[in-house]
mmCIF file of all heavy atoms in Angstrom:
data_model
loop_
_atom_site.group_PDB
_atom_site.id
_atom_site.type_symbol
_atom_site.label_atom_id
_atom_site.label_comp_id
_atom_site.label_asym_id
_atom_site.label_seq_id
_atom_site.Cartn_x
_atom_site.Cartn_y
_atom_site.Cartn_z
ATOM 1 N N MET P 14 -7.918 28.673 -4.564
ATOM 2 C CA MET P 14 -6.783 28.523 -3.644
ATOM 3 C C MET P 14 -5.857 27.418 -4.113
ATOM 4 O O MET P 14 -4.622 27.549 -4.049
ATOM 5 C CB MET P 14 -7.295 28.205 -2.231
ATOM 6 C CG MET P 14 -8.045 29.314 -1.550
ATOM 7 S SD MET P 14 -8.664 28.768 0.073
ATOM 8 C CE MET P 14 -9.893 30.037 0.391
ATOM 9 N N LYS P 41 -17.844 9.676 6.779
ATOM 10 C CA LYS P 41 -18.390 8.844 7.842
ATOM 11 C C LYS P 41 -18.486 7.413 7.343
ATOM 12 O O LYS P 41 -19.002 7.170 6.253
ATOM 13 C CB LYS P 41 -19.785 9.338 8.251
ATOM 14 C CG LYS P 41 -20.392 8.605 9.446
ATOM 15 C CD LYS P 41 -19.708 9.002 10.746
ATOM 16 C CE LYS P 41 -20.399 8.385 11.960
ATOM 17 N NZ LYS P 41 -19.707 8.725 13.220
ATOM 18 N N GLY P 56 -14.040 3.508 -2.297
ATOM 19 C CA GLY P 56 -13.530 2.168 -2.583
ATOM 20 C C GLY P 56 -12.038 2.032 -2.426
ATOM 21 O O GLY P 56 -11.491 0.948 -2.666
ATOM 22 N N GLY P 149 15.069 -4.889 -5.624
ATOM 23 C CA GLY P 149 13.640 -4.611 -5.606
ATOM 24 C C GLY P 149 12.990 -5.200 -6.841
ATOM 25 O O GLY P 149 13.600 -5.977 -7.576
ATOM 26 N N ILE P 180 21.080 -0.184 -6.095
ATOM 27 C CA ILE P 180 19.723 -0.730 -6.080
ATOM 28 C C ILE P 180 19.440 -1.275 -7.470
ATOM 29 O O ILE P 180 19.641 -0.583 -8.471
ATOM 30 C CB ILE P 180 18.674 0.332 -5.710
ATOM 31 C CG1 ILE P 180 18.919 0.871 -4.294
ATOM 32 C CG2 ILE P 180 17.265 -0.244 -5.801
ATOM 33 C CD1 ILE P 180 17.989 2.011 -3.892
ATOM 34 N N TRP P 188 1.279 -11.900 -13.917
ATOM 35 C CA TRP P 188 0.973 -12.887 -14.949
ATOM 36 C C TRP P 188 0.048 -12.332 -16.025
ATOM 37 O O TRP P 188 0.306 -12.517 -17.228
ATOM 38 C CB TRP P 188 0.344 -14.147 -14.334
ATOM 39 C CG TRP P 188 -0.095 -15.130 -15.377
ATOM 40 C CD1 TRP P 188 0.717 -15.953 -16.110
ATOM 41 C CD2 TRP P 188 -1.425 -15.361 -15.838
ATOM 42 N NE1 TRP P 188 -0.025 -16.697 -17.002
ATOM 43 C CE2 TRP P 188 -1.353 -16.347 -16.847
ATOM 44 C CE3 TRP P 188 -2.676 -14.838 -15.491
ATOM 45 C CZ2 TRP P 188 -2.484 -16.818 -17.517
ATOM 46 C CZ3 TRP P 188 -3.805 -15.304 -16.150
ATOM 47 C CH2 TRP P 188 -3.707 -16.282 -17.153
ATOM 48 N N GLY P 269 -6.936 -10.025 5.353
ATOM 49 C CA GLY P 269 -7.704 -10.922 6.205
ATOM 50 C C GLY P 269 -6.851 -11.576 7.281
ATOM 51 O O GLY P 269 -7.345 -12.373 8.081
ATOM 52 N N PHE P 316 23.220 4.176 16.070
ATOM 53 C CA PHE P 316 22.584 4.084 14.755
ATOM 54 C C PHE P 316 22.162 5.507 14.415
ATOM 55 O O PHE P 316 21.181 6.019 14.940
ATOM 56 C CB PHE P 316 21.383 3.137 14.801
ATOM 57 C CG PHE P 316 20.657 2.999 13.488
ATOM 58 C CD1 PHE P 316 21.342 2.922 12.285
ATOM 59 C CD2 PHE P 316 19.268 2.927 13.452
ATOM 60 C CE1 PHE P 316 20.677 2.786 11.072
ATOM 61 C CE2 PHE P 316 18.583 2.786 12.253
ATOM 62 C CZ PHE P 316 19.294 2.721 11.063
ATOM 63 N N ASP P 365 -17.762 -10.969 -16.575
ATOM 64 C CA ASP P 365 -18.527 -11.184 -17.804
ATOM 65 C C ASP P 365 -18.693 -9.917 -18.630
ATOM 66 O O ASP P 365 -19.208 -9.947 -19.739
ATOM 67 C CB ASP P 365 -19.905 -11.767 -17.475
ATOM 68 C CG ASP P 365 -20.800 -10.802 -16.689
ATOM 69 O OD1 ASP P 365 -20.354 -9.679 -16.381
ATOM 70 O OD2 ASP P 365 -21.945 -11.171 -16.377
#
Side-chain angles (χ1 to χ4, degrees):
M14 292 177 197
K41 185 73 174 178
I180 298 175
W188 175 75
F316 179 40
D365 66 359

